[in-house]
Coordinates of all heavy atoms in Angstrom, one line a residue:
M1 N 112.3 65.8 142.0 CA 112.6 67.2 141.9 C 111.4 67.9 141.5 O 110.7 67.6 140.5 CB 113.8 67.4 140.9 CG 114.2 68.8 140.8 SD 115.7 68.8 139.7 CE 115.8 70.5 139.5
K2 N 111.0 69.0 142.2 CA 109.9 69.8 141.8 C 110.2 70.8 140.8 O 111.3 71.5 140.9 CB 109.4 70.5 143.1 CG 108.1 71.3 142.9 CD 107.7 71.9 144.2 CE 106.4 72.7 144.0 NZ 105.9 73.4 145.2
T3 N 109.4 71.0 139.8 CA 109.6 72.0 138.8 C 109.2 73.3 139.3 O 108.2 73.5 140.0 CB 108.9 71.7 137.4 OG1 107.5 71.6 137.7 CG2 109.4 70.4 136.9
V4 N 109.9 74.4 138.8 CA 109.5 75.7 139.2 C 108.8 76.4 138.0 O 109.3 76.2 136.8 CB 110.8 76.5 139.6 CG1 110.5 78.0 139.9 CG2 111.5 75.8 140.7
S5 N 107.8 77.1 138.2 CA 107.1 77.8 137.1 C 106.8 79.2 137.6 O 106.9 79.6 138.7 CB 105.8 77.1 136.7 OG 104.9 77.0 137.7
L6 N 106.3 80.0 136.7 CA 106.0 81.4 136.9 C 104.7 81.5 137.7 O 103.8 80.7 137.7 CB 105.8 82.2 135.6 CG 107.1 82.3 134.8 CD1 106.7 82.9 133.4 CD2 108.1 83.2 135.4
N7 N 104.6 82.6 138.4 CA 103.4 83.0 139.1 C 102.3 83.1 138.1 O 102.5 83.5 136.9 CB 103.6 84.4 139.8 CG 102.4 85.0 140.3 OD1 101.5 85.4 139.6 ND2 102.3 85.1 141.6
E8 N 101.1 82.7 138.4 CA 99.9 82.6 137.5 C 99.7 84.0 136.8 O 99.4 84.1 135.6 CB 98.7 82.1 138.2 CG 97.5 81.9 137.3 CD 96.3 81.3 138.0 OE1 96.5 80.5 138.9 OE2 95.2 81.6 137.6
K9 N 99.7 85.1 137.6 CA 99.5 86.4 137.1 C 100.5 86.8 136.1 O 100.2 87.4 135.0 CB 99.5 87.5 138.2 CG 98.3 87.4 139.1 CD 98.4 88.4 140.2 CE 97.4 89.5 140.2 NZ 97.5 90.4 141.3
V10 N 101.8 86.5 136.3 CA 102.9 86.8 135.4 C 102.7 86.0 134.1 O 102.8 86.5 133.0 CB 104.2 86.5 136.1 CG1 105.4 86.6 135.0 CG2 104.5 87.4 137.2
C11 N 102.4 84.7 134.3 CA 102.2 83.8 133.1 C 101.0 84.4 132.2 O 101.1 84.4 131.0 CB 101.9 82.4 133.6 SG 102.0 81.2 132.3
K12 N 99.9 84.8 132.9 CA 98.8 85.3 132.1 C 99.2 86.6 131.4 O 98.8 86.8 130.2 CB 97.6 85.6 133.1 CG 96.4 86.1 132.4 CD 95.3 86.4 133.3 CE 94.1 86.9 132.6 NZ 92.9 87.2 133.4
A13 N 99.9 87.5 132.1 CA 100.4 88.7 131.4 C 101.3 88.5 130.2 O 101.1 89.1 129.2 CB 101.1 89.6 132.5
I14 N 102.2 87.5 130.3 CA 103.0 87.2 129.2 C 102.2 86.6 128.1 O 102.5 86.9 126.9 CB 104.2 86.2 129.7 CG1 105.1 87.0 130.6 CG2 105.0 85.7 128.5 CD1 106.2 86.1 131.3
N15 N 101.3 85.7 128.4 CA 100.4 85.2 127.3 C 99.6 86.3 126.6 O 99.4 86.2 125.4 CB 99.5 84.1 127.9 CG 100.2 82.7 127.9 OD1 100.6 82.2 126.9 ND2 100.4 82.2 129.1
E16 N 99.2 87.3 127.3 CA 98.5 88.4 126.7 C 99.4 89.1 125.7 O 99.0 89.5 124.7 CB 97.9 89.4 127.8 CG 96.7 88.8 128.5 CD 95.5 88.7 127.5 OE1 95.3 89.5 126.7 OE2 94.8 87.6 127.7
R17 N 100.6 89.3 126.2 CA 101.6 90.0 125.3 C 101.9 89.1 124.0 O 102.1 89.6 122.9 CB 102.9 90.3 126.0 CG 102.9 91.2 127.2 CD 102.3 92.6 126.9 NE 101.0 92.8 126.5 CZ 99.9 92.8 127.3 NH1 100.0 92.6 128.6 NH2 98.7 92.9 126.8
L18 N 101.9 87.8 124.2 CA 102.1 86.9 123.1 C 101.0 87.1 122.1 O 101.2 87.1 120.9 CB 102.1 85.4 123.7 CG 102.4 84.3 122.7 CD1 103.7 84.5 122.0 CD2 102.3 83.0 123.3
K19 N 99.8 87.2 122.6 CA 98.6 87.4 121.7 C 98.8 88.7 120.9 O 98.6 88.8 119.7 CB 97.3 87.5 122.5 CG 96.1 87.7 121.6 CD 94.8 87.6 122.4 CE 93.6 87.8 121.6 NZ 92.4 87.7 122.3
D20 N 99.3 89.8 121.6 CA 99.5 91.1 121.0 C 100.6 91.0 119.9 O 100.4 91.6 118.8 CB 100.0 92.1 122.0 CG 99.0 92.5 123.0 OD1 97.8 92.3 122.8 OD2 99.4 93.0 124.1
E21 N 101.6 90.2 120.1 CA 102.7 90.0 119.1 C 102.2 89.3 117.9 O 102.5 89.7 116.8 CB 103.9 89.2 119.7 CG 104.6 89.9 120.9 CD 105.2 91.2 120.6 OE1 105.5 91.5 119.4 OE2 105.5 92.0 121.5
Y22 N 101.3 88.3 118.1 CA 100.8 87.6 116.9 C 99.8 88.5 116.2 O 99.7 88.5 114.9 CB 100.1 86.3 117.3 CG 101.1 85.2 117.4 CD1 101.3 84.5 118.7 CD2 101.9 84.7 116.3 CE1 102.3 83.5 118.8 CE2 102.8 83.7 116.4 CZ 103.0 83.1 117.7 OH 103.9 82.1 117.8
K23 N 99.0 89.3 116.9 CA 98.1 90.2 116.2 C 98.8 91.2 115.4 O 98.5 91.5 114.2 CB 97.2 90.9 117.2 CG 96.1 90.1 117.8 CD 95.3 90.7 118.9 CE 94.6 92.0 118.5 NZ 93.8 92.6 119.6
A24 N 99.9 91.7 115.9 CA 100.7 92.7 115.2 C 101.4 92.0 114.0 O 101.5 92.6 112.9 CB 101.8 93.3 116.1
F25 N 101.9 90.8 114.2 CA 102.5 90.0 113.1 C 101.5 89.9 111.9 O 101.8 90.2 110.8 CB 102.9 88.6 113.5 CG 103.2 87.7 112.4 CD1 104.3 87.8 111.6 CD2 102.3 86.6 112.2 CE1 104.5 86.9 110.6 CE2 102.5 85.7 111.2 CZ 103.6 85.8 110.4
Y26 N 100.3 89.5 112.2 CA 99.3 89.4 111.1 C 98.9 90.7 110.5 O 98.8 90.8 109.3 CB 98.0 88.8 111.7 CG 97.9 87.3 111.7 CD1 98.9 86.5 112.1 CD2 96.8 86.6 111.2 CE1 98.9 85.1 112.1 CE2 96.7 85.3 111.1 CZ 97.8 84.5 111.6 OH 97.7 83.1 111.5
A27 N 98.8 91.7 111.3 CA 98.4 93.1 110.8 C 99.5 93.6 109.9 O 99.2 94.2 108.8 CB 98.1 94.0 111.9
Y28 N 100.7 93.6 110.4 CA 101.9 94.1 109.6 C 102.0 93.3 108.3 O 102.4 93.8 107.2 CB 103.2 94.1 110.4 CG 103.2 95.2 111.4 CD1 103.8 94.9 112.6 CD2 102.7 96.4 111.2 CE1 103.9 95.9 113.6 CE2 102.8 97.4 112.2 CZ 103.4 97.1 113.4 OH 103.5 98.1 114.3
N29 N 101.8 92.0 108.4 CA 101.9 91.1 107.2 C 100.8 91.5 106.2 O 101.1 91.6 105.0 CB 101.7 89.7 107.6 CG 102.4 88.7 106.6 OD1 103.1 89.1 105.7 ND2 102.2 87.4 106.9
A30 N 99.6 91.8 106.6 CA 98.6 92.2 105.7 C 98.9 93.6 105.1 O 98.7 93.8 103.9 CB 97.2 92.3 106.5
A31 N 99.5 94.5 105.9 CA 99.9 95.8 105.4 C 100.9 95.7 104.4 O 100.9 96.3 103.3 CB 100.3 96.7 106.6
S32 N 101.9 94.8 104.6 CA 103.0 94.6 103.7 C 102.4 94.0 102.3 O 102.8 94.5 101.3 CB 104.0 93.6 104.2 OG 105.0 93.3 103.3
N33 N 101.6 93.1 102.4 CA 101.0 92.5 101.2 C 100.2 93.5 100.4 O 100.3 93.6 99.2 CB 100.1 91.3 101.6 CG 100.8 90.1 102.1 OD1 102.0 90.0 101.9 ND2 100.1 89.3 102.8
W34 N 99.4 94.3 101.1 CA 98.6 95.4 100.4 C 99.6 96.4 99.8 O 99.4 96.8 98.6 CB 97.7 96.1 101.4 CG 96.8 97.1 100.7 CD1 95.6 96.9 100.0 CD2 97.1 98.5 100.6 NE1 95.2 98.1 99.5 CE2 96.1 99.1 99.8 CE3 98.1 99.3 101.1 CZ2 96.0 100.4 99.5 CZ3 98.1 100.7 100.8 CH2 97.0 101.2 100.0
C35 N 100.5 96.9 100.5 CA 101.5 97.9 100.0 C 102.2 97.4 98.7 O 102.3 98.1 97.7 CB 102.5 98.3 101.1 SG 101.8 99.3 102.4
H36 N 102.6 96.1 98.8 CA 103.3 95.5 97.6 C 102.3 95.5 96.4 O 102.7 95.7 95.3 CB 103.9 94.2 97.9 CG 105.2 94.2 98.6 ND1 105.4 93.9 99.9 CD2 106.4 94.5 98.0 CE1 106.7 94.1 100.2 NE2 107.3 94.4 99.1
S37 N 101.1 95.1 96.7 CA 100.1 94.9 95.6 C 99.7 96.2 94.9 O 99.2 96.1 93.8 CB 98.8 94.2 96.2 OG 98.0 95.1 96.9
V38 N 99.8 97.3 95.6 CA 99.5 98.6 95.0 C 100.7 99.4 94.6 O 100.5 100.6 94.2 CB 98.5 99.4 95.9 CG1 97.2 98.7 96.0 CG2 99.1 99.8 97.2
G39 N 101.9 98.9 94.7 CA 103.0 99.6 94.2 C 103.8 100.3 95.2 O 104.8 101.0 94.9
F40 N 103.5 100.3 96.5 CA 104.2 100.9 97.6 C 105.3 100.0 98.1 O 105.2 99.4 99.2 CB 103.3 101.4 98.7 CG 102.4 102.5 98.4 CD1 101.0 102.3 98.6 CD2 102.8 103.7 97.8 CE1 100.1 103.3 98.2 CE2 101.9 104.7 97.5 CZ 100.5 104.5 97.7
K41 N 106.3 99.7 97.2 CA 107.3 98.7 97.5 C 108.1 98.9 98.8 O 108.3 98.0 99.6 CB 108.2 98.5 96.3 CG 107.5 98.2 95.0 CD 106.7 96.9 95.1 CE 106.1 96.5 93.7 NZ 105.1 95.5 93.8
K42 N 108.6 100.2 98.9 CA 109.4 100.5 100.1 C 108.5 100.3 101.4 O 109.0 99.8 102.4 CB 110.0 101.9 100.1 CG 111.0 102.0 99.0 CD 112.3 101.3 99.5 CE 113.4 101.5 98.5 NZ 114.6 100.7 98.8
A43 N 107.3 100.8 101.4 CA 106.4 100.6 102.5 C 106.1 99.1 102.8 O 106.1 98.7 103.9 CB 105.1 101.4 102.3
G44 N 106.0 98.4 101.7 CA 105.8 96.9 101.8 C 107.0 96.2 102.5 O 106.8 95.4 103.3
E45 N 108.2 96.7 102.1 CA 109.4 96.1 102.7 C 109.4 96.5 104.2 O 109.8 95.6 105.0 CB 110.6 96.6 102.0 CG 110.8 96.1 100.6 CD 111.9 96.7 99.8 OE1 112.8 97.4 100.4 OE2 111.9 96.7 98.6
Y46 N 109.1 97.7 104.5 CA 109.1 98.1 105.9 C 108.2 97.3 106.7 O 108.6 96.8 107.8 CB 108.7 99.6 106.0 CG 108.5 100.1 107.4 CD1 109.6 100.4 108.2 CD2 107.3 100.1 108.0 CE1 109.5 100.7 109.5 CE2 107.1 100.5 109.3 CZ 108.2 100.8 110.0 OH 108.0 101.2 111.4
F47 N 106.9 97.1 106.3 CA 106.0 96.4 107.0 C 106.3 94.9 107.1 O 106.0 94.2 108.1 CB 104.6 96.6 106.5 CG 104.0 98.0 107.0 CD1 103.8 98.9 106.0 CD2 103.8 98.3 108.3 CE1 103.4 100.2 106.4 CE2 103.4 99.5 108.7 CZ 103.2 100.5 107.7
A48 N 107.0 94.4 106.0 CA 107.4 93.0 106.1 C 108.5 92.8 107.2 O 108.5 91.8 107.9 CB 108.0 92.6 104.7
G49 N 109.4 93.8 107.3 CA 110.3 93.8 108.4 C 109.7 93.9 109.8 O 110.1 93.1 110.7
E50 N 108.7 94.7 109.9 CA 108.0 94.8 111.2 C 107.3 93.5 111.5 O 107.3 93.1 112.7 CB 106.9 96.0 111.1 CG 107.5 97.4 111.0 CD 108.4 97.7 112.2 OE1 107.9 97.7 113.4 OE2 109.6 98.0 112.1
S51 N 106.7 92.9 110.5 CA 106.0 91.6 110.7 C 107.0 90.6 111.2 O 106.7 89.8 112.2 CB 105.4 91.2 109.4 OG 104.8 89.9 109.6
K52 N 108.1 90.5 110.6 CA 109.2 89.6 111.0 C 109.6 89.8 112.5 O 109.8 88.9 113.3 CB 110.4 89.7 110.1 CG 111.5 88.8 110.4 CD 112.7 89.0 109.5 CE 113.8 88.1 110.0 NZ 115.1 88.6 109.5
D53 N 109.8 91.1 112.8 CA 110.1 91.5 114.2 C 109.1 91.0 115.2 O 109.5 90.5 116.3 CB 110.3 93.0 114.4 CG 111.6 93.5 113.7 OD1 112.4 92.7 113.3 OD2 111.6 94.8 113.5
E54 N 107.8 91.2 114.9 CA 106.8 90.7 115.8 C 106.8 89.2 116.0 O 106.6 88.7 117.1 CB 105.4 91.2 115.3 CG 105.2 92.7 115.2 CD 105.4 93.4 116.5 OE1 105.2 92.9 117.6 OE2 105.8 94.6 116.4
L55 N 107.1 88.5 115.0 CA 107.1 87.0 115.1 C 108.3 86.6 115.9 O 108.2 85.7 116.7 CB 107.2 86.4 113.7 CG 106.9 84.9 113.6 CD1 105.6 84.6 114.2 CD2 107.0 84.5 112.1
E56 N 109.4 87.4 115.8 CA 110.6 87.1 116.7 C 110.3 87.4 118.1 O 110.7 86.6 119.0 CB 111.8 87.9 116.2 CG 112.4 87.4 114.9 CD 113.4 88.3 114.3 OE1 113.8 89.4 114.9 OE2 113.9 88.0 113.2
H57 N 109.5 88.5 118.4 CA 109.1 88.8 119.8 C 108.3 87.7 120.3 O 108.5 87.3 121.5 CB 108.3 90.1 119.8 CG 109.1 91.3 119.3 ND1 108.4 92.4 118.9 CD2 110.4 91.5 119.1 CE1 109.3 93.3 118.5 NE2 110.5 92.8 118.6
A58 N 107.4 87.1 119.5 CA 106.5 86.0 120.0 C 107.4 84.8 120.3 O 107.1 84.2 121.4 CB 105.5 85.7 118.9
A59 N 108.4 84.5 119.5 CA 109.2 83.4 119.8 C 110.0 83.6 121.1 O 110.2 82.6 121.9 CB 110.2 83.2 118.6
I60 N 110.4 84.8 121.4 CA 111.1 85.1 122.6 C 110.2 84.8 123.8 O 110.6 84.2 124.8 CB 111.7 86.5 122.6 CG1 112.8 86.6 121.6 CG2 112.1 86.9 124.0 CD1 113.2 88.0 121.3
L61 N 109.0 85.3 123.7 CA 108.0 85.1 124.8 C 107.7 83.7 125.1 O 107.6 83.2 126.2 CB 106.7 85.9 124.6 CG 106.9 87.4 124.6 CD1 105.6 88.1 124.2 CD2 107.2 87.9 126.0
Q62 N 107.5 82.9 124.0 CA 107.2 81.5 124.1 C 108.4 80.7 124.7 O 108.2 79.9 125.6 CB 107.0 80.9 122.7 CG 105.6 81.3 122.2 CD 105.3 80.7 120.8 OE1 104.8 79.6 120.7 NE2 105.8 81.4 119.8
K63 N 109.6 81.1 124.3 CA 110.8 80.4 124.9 C 110.9 80.7 126.4 O 111.2 79.8 127.2 CB 112.1 80.8 124.2 CG 113.3 80.1 124.7 CD 114.5 80.5 124.0 CE 115.8 79.8 124.4 NZ 115.9 79.4 125.8
Y64 N 110.6 81.9 126.7 CA 110.7 82.3 128.2 C 109.7 81.5 129.0 O 110.0 81.0 130.0 CB 110.4 83.8 128.3 CG 110.5 84.3 129.7 CD1 111.8 84.6 130.2 CD2 109.4 84.5 130.6 CE1 112.0 85.1 131.5 CE2 109.6 84.9 131.8 CZ 110.9 85.2 132.3 OH 111.0 85.7 133.6
L65 N 108.5 81.4 128.5 CA 107.5 80.6 129.2 C 107.9 79.1 129.3 O 107.8 78.5 130.4 CB 106.1 80.7 128.5 CG 105.4 82.0 128.7 CD1 104.2 82.1 127.7 CD2 105.0 82.2 130.1
V66 N 108.3 78.5 128.2 CA 108.8 77.1 128.2 C 110.0 76.9 129.1 O 110.0 76.0 129.9 CB 109.1 76.7 126.8 CG1 109.8 75.3 126.8 CG2 107.8 76.6 125.9
D67 N 110.9 77.9 129.1 CA 112.0 77.8 130.0 C 111.6 77.8 131.5 O 112.4 77.3 132.4 CB 113.0 78.9 129.8 CG 113.8 78.7 128.5 OD1 113.7 77.6 127.9 OD2 114.5 79.7 128.0
W68 N 110.5 78.4 131.8 CA 109.9 78.4 133.2 C 108.9 77.2 133.4 O 108.1 77.3 134.3 CB 109.3 79.7 133.5 CG 110.3 80.7 134.0 CD1 110.9 81.7 133.2 CD2 110.8 80.9 135.3 NE1 111.8 82.4 134.0 CE2 111.7 81.9 135.3 CE3 110.6 80.2 136.5 CZ2 112.4 82.3 136.4 CZ3 111.2 80.6 137.6 CH2 112.2 81.7 137.6
N69 N 108.9 76.3 132.5 CA 108.1 75.1 132.6 C 106.6 75.4 132.5 O 105.7 74.8 133.0 CB 108.3 74.4 133.9 CG 109.8 74.0 134.0 OD1 110.3 73.3 133.2 ND2 110.4 74.4 135.1
D70 N 106.3 76.5 131.7 CA 104.9 76.8 131.4 C 104.6 76.6 129.9 O 105.5 76.9 129.1 CB 104.6 78.3 131.8 CG 104.6 78.5 133.3 OD1 103.8 77.8 134.0 OD2 105.4 79.3 133.8
I71 N 103.4 76.2 129.6 CA 103.1 76.0 128.2 C 102.4 77.3 127.7 O 101.4 77.7 128.2 CB 102.1 74.8 128.1 CG1 102.6 73.6 128.7 CG2 101.7 74.7 126.6 CD1 103.4 72.7 127.9
P72 N 103.0 77.9 126.6 CA 102.4 79.1 126.1 C 101.0 78.8 125.5 O 100.8 77.7 125.0 CB 103.3 79.5 125.0 CG 104.6 78.8 125.2 CD 104.2 77.5 126.0
E73 N 100.1 79.8 125.7 CA 98.8 79.7 125.1 C 98.9 80.3 123.7 O 99.1 81.5 123.6 CB 97.8 80.5 125.9 CG 97.6 79.9 127.3 CD 96.6 80.8 128.1 OE1 95.9 81.6 127.6 OE2 96.7 80.6 129.4
L74 N 98.8 79.4 122.7 CA 98.8 80.0 121.3 C 97.4 80.5 121.0 O 96.5 79.8 120.9 CB 99.2 78.9 120.4 CG 100.6 78.3 120.6 CD1 101.0 77.2 119.6 CD2 101.7 79.4 120.5
P75 N 97.3 81.8 120.9 CA 96.0 82.5 120.8 C 95.4 82.3 119.4 O 96.1 82.1 118.4 CB 96.3 83.9 121.0 CG 97.7 84.1 120.5 CD 98.4 82.8 120.8
V76 N 94.1 82.4 119.3 CA 93.3 82.5 118.1 C 93.3 83.9 117.7 O 93.0 84.8 118.5 CB 91.9 81.9 118.2 CG1 91.1 82.2 117.0 CG2 91.9 80.5 118.6
I77 N 93.8 84.2 116.5 CA 93.9 85.6 116.1 C 92.9 85.8 115.0 O 92.8 85.1 114.0 CB 95.3 85.9 115.5 CG1 96.4 85.6 116.6 CG2 95.4 87.3 115.1 CD1 96.3 86.3 117.9
A78 N 92.1 86.9 115.1 CA 91.1 87.3 114.1 C 91.9 87.7 112.8 O 93.0 88.3 112.9 CB 90.2 88.4 114.6
K79 N 91.3 87.4 111.7 CA 91.9 87.8 110.4 C 91.9 89.4 110.4 O 90.9 90.0 110.6 CB 91.0 87.3 109.3 CG 91.6 87.6 107.9 CD 90.8 86.8 106.9 CE 90.2 87.7 105.9 NZ 89.4 87.0 104.9
P80 N 93.1 90.0 110.1 CA 93.2 91.4 110.0 C 92.5 91.9 108.7 O 92.3 91.2 107.8 CB 94.7 91.7 110.0 CG 95.3 90.4 109.3 CD 94.4 89.3 109.8
D81 N 92.3 93.2 108.7 CA 91.9 93.9 107.4 C 92.9 93.6 106.4 O 94.1 93.7 106.6 CB 91.7 95.4 107.6 CG 90.5 95.7 108.5 OD1 89.6 94.9 108.5 OD2 90.6 96.8 109.1
L82 N 92.5 93.2 105.2 CA 93.4 92.9 104.1 C 93.4 94.0 103.0 O 94.3 94.0 102.2 CB 93.0 91.5 103.4 CG 93.0 90.3 104.4 CD1 92.5 89.1 103.6 CD2 94.4 90.1 104.9
E83 N 92.4 94.9 103.1 CA 92.3 96.0 102.2 C 92.4 97.3 102.9 O 91.8 97.4 104.0 CB 91.0 95.9 101.4 CG 90.9 94.7 100.4 CD 91.9 94.8 99.3 OE1 92.1 96.0 98.8 OE2 92.4 93.8 98.8
F84 N 93.0 98.2 102.3 CA 93.1 99.6 102.9 C 92.7 100.6 101.8 O 92.9 100.3 100.6 CB 94.6 99.8 103.4 CG 95.0 98.8 104.4 CD1 95.7 97.7 104.1 CD2 94.8 99.1 105.8 CE1 96.1 96.7 105.0 CE2 95.2 98.2 106.7 CZ 95.9 97.0 106.4
K85 N 92.3 101.7 102.2 CA 91.9 102.8 101.3 C 93.1 103.5 100.8 O 93.0 104.0 99.6 CB 90.9 103.7 102.0 CG 89.6 103.1 102.3 CD 88.7 104.1 103.1 CE 87.5 103.4 103.6 NZ 86.8 104.2 104.6
S86 N 94.1 103.6 101.6 CA 95.3 104.4 101.2 C 96.4 104.0 102.1 O 96.3 103.3 103.1 CB 95.0 105.9 101.4 OG 94.8 106.2 102.8
L87 N 97.6 104.6 101.8 CA 98.8 104.4 102.6 C 98.6 105.0 104.0 O 99.1 104.5 105.0 CB 100.0 104.9 101.9 CG 101.4 104.6 102.6 CD1 101.6 103.2 102.8 CD2 102.5 105.2 101.7
V88 N 97.8 106.1 104.0 CA 97.5 106.8 105.3 C 96.8 105.8 106.2 O 97.1 105.7 107.4 CB 96.7 108.1 105.1 CG1 96.2 108.6 106.4 CG2 97.6 109.1 104.3
D89 N 95.8 105.0 105.7 CA 95.1 104.0 106.5 C 96.1 103.0 107.0 O 95.9 102.6 108.2 CB 94.0 103.3 105.6 CG 92.8 104.2 105.4 OD1 92.6 105.2 106.1 OD2 92.0 103.8 104.5
V90 N 97.0 102.6 106.2 CA 98.0 101.6 106.7 C 98.8 102.2 107.8 O 99.0 101.5 108.9 CB 98.9 101.1 105.5 CG1 100.0 100.2 106.0 CG2 98.1 100.5 104.4
I91 N 99.3 103.4 107.7 CA 100.1 104.0 108.7 C 99.3 104.2 110.0 O 99.8 104.0 111.1 CB 100.7 105.3 108.2 CG1 101.7 105.0 107.0 CG2 101.3 106.2 109.3 CD1 102.1 106.2 106.2
E92 N 98.0 104.6 109.8 CA 97.2 104.8 111.0 C 97.0 103.4 111.7 O 97.0 103.4 113.0 CB 95.8 105.4 110.6 CG 95.9 106.9 110.3 CD 94.6 107.5 109.8 OE1 93.7 106.7 109.6 OE2 94.6 108.7 109.7
M93 N 96.8 102.4 111.0 CA 96.7 101.0 111.6 C 97.9 100.7 112.4 O 97.9 100.2 113.5 CB 96.4 100.0 110.5 CG 96.3 98.5 111.0 SD 97.8 97.6 111.1 CE 98.5 97.7 109.5
A94 N 99.1 101.0 111.8 CA 100.4 100.7 112.4 C 100.5 101.5 113.7 O 100.9 101.0 114.7 CB 101.5 101.0 111.5
G95 N 100.0 102.7 113.7 CA 100.0 103.6 114.9 C 99.2 103.0 116.0 O 99.5 103.1 117.1
D96 N 98.0 102.5 115.6 CA 97.1 101.8 116.6 C 97.8 100.6 117.2 O 97.6 100.4 118.4 CB 95.8 101.4 115.9 CG 94.9 102.6 115.5 OD1 95.2 103.7 116.0 OD2 94.0 102.3 114.8
I97 N 98.6 99.9 116.4 CA 99.3 98.7 117.0 C 100.3 99.2 118.1 O 100.4 98.7 119.2 CB 100.0 97.9 115.9 CG1 99.0 97.2 115.1 CG2 101.0 96.9 116.5 CD1 99.6 96.6 113.8
V98 N 101.0 100.3 117.7 CA 102.1 100.8 118.6 C 101.5 101.3 119.9 O 102.0 101.1 121.0 CB 102.9 101.9 117.9 CG1 103.8 102.6 118.8 CG2 103.7 101.3 116.7
T99 N 100.3 102.0 119.8 CA 99.7 102.6 121.0 C 98.8 101.6 121.7 O 98.3 101.9 122.8 CB 98.9 103.8 120.6 OG1 97.9 103.5 119.7 CG2 99.8 104.9 120.0
G100 N 98.6 100.4 121.1 CA 97.7 99.4 121.8 C 96.2 99.6 121.6 O 95.5 99.1 122.4
K101 N 95.8 100.3 120.6 CA 94.4 100.5 120.3 C 93.8 99.3 119.7 O 94.4 98.5 119.1 CB 94.2 101.7 119.5 CG 94.5 103.0 120.2 CD 94.1 104.2 119.3 CE 94.4 105.5 120.0 NZ 94.1 106.6 119.2

């Protein structure tokens, strides 16, 4: 029996999105840690939730690829900024993630 897999272009596009999800996971996690460390507890909780959501999105993409008999490419992710100047910097970073900058 021949296995069916995704078109190469589709597989590549999904793997790119997988990388985006992991980058966002790391960045939101760093934002959450920073916010908690400087006393912005509610912002820290918010970014912890966003981080969790991104990890769930990555799991969905990986499962989709595996279900189509493709092996997900687990990307190497650069370490995000761990220090921010202000809460405004954190919010701007989050905006960049949303807009894909």
